[in-house]
Amino acid sequence: MVRPKKYLGQHFLKDQNIAAKIVEALQLTQRSVVLEIGPGTGVLTGLLMQRPEVDLYLSEIDRESVAYLKEHFASLREKIFEGDFIKLDMSQIAPGKIHIIGNFPYNISSQIFFQILNHHEKVDQVVCMLQKEVADRLAEKEGSKTYGILSVLLQTFYTIESKFKVPPGVFHPPPKVMSAVIRLVRNHRKQLPCEESLFRKVVKQAFQNRRKTLRNALKPLNLPGSVLLSPFMDKRAEQLSVENFISLTTEIEMQRGADY
Ligand code: SAH
């Protein structure tokens, strides 16, 4: 057995029915590369291996779990990336698109999503369990107090569906919070009409001071004077939709170009 390590966010799922529901939430129409993040002792892994359309790879940081997985799932031995998912170069997994599944380590779920965003051209679908409060926030729309940086950045490229809630009692050890399973599916947006790095910067800066109007919140970005006249400047970050943030960034980029 693997002894659960708190610093790695290890809460092992004990309930086979819930594990089956998570694995079923992954929708595949053809044989596909699937990367499981944090397989631990393999409660999802075993079920994923029973699906003929799944070409499975694993990313696991815990050496003890990796040893356990190699022993119990010998056919995956060469397909385990031992180490930190945040540092994994996903292009080395396989050419083409991949799908991600996992009961995420809750302490690093935001970093996992930023890593996925860095590869949004490659990652087609994500099915994951995470802290319910975080899951709800990701799917929020503008106008909500909990709409934030990752809601905007993820919804730019993914449609987010809430699947179901999971109570603490089905884990060993039980976490202190409710959990939820969500599914992200790549939407049809290809390239943004503006630089993606500037887009991220604008969104992050806007939410850094979410109670201020954008005119004040975005001061550190030294916006071109003409942009300060934009009607968006009188609003706060949480009032802007994804489309609004894209328009605003495009405006900034064009005006900067014009000023130089
Ligand atoms: N899938 C298992 C374990 C979930 S707990 C289950 O449902 O029972 C989260 C898992 O993520 C643990 O196995 C932990 O070791 C792993 N993990 C934690 N940080 C990680 C990281 N940075 N990269 C990859 N895996 C990580």
Side-chain angles (χ1 to χ4, degrees), residues 8-13 38-40 43 60-62 84-85 103 105 108:
L8 289 177
Q10 289 182 340
H11 296 278
F12 297 120
L13 181 62
V43 63
E60 174 59 65
I61 201 168
D62 177 30
D84 186 352
F85 169 72
N103 293 342
I108 57 161

Side-chain angles (χ1 to χ4, degrees), residues 223-231 233 251-252 254-256 258-259:
L223 299 185
S226 44
V227 176
L228 297 175
L229 302 173
S230 153
M233 289 298 132
E251 213 176 304
I252 294 173
M254 279 169 32
Q255 292 303 333
R256 274 190 176 162
D259 286 359

Side-chain angles (χ1 to χ4, degrees), residues 35 57-61 66 79-83 88 92-93:
L35 176 70
Y57 292 78
L58 309 176
S59 161
E60 174 59 65
I61 201 168
V66 170
K79 298 170 85 181
I80 305 178
F81 295 96
E82 180 171 353
L88 178 64
Q92 72 172 88
I93 299 169

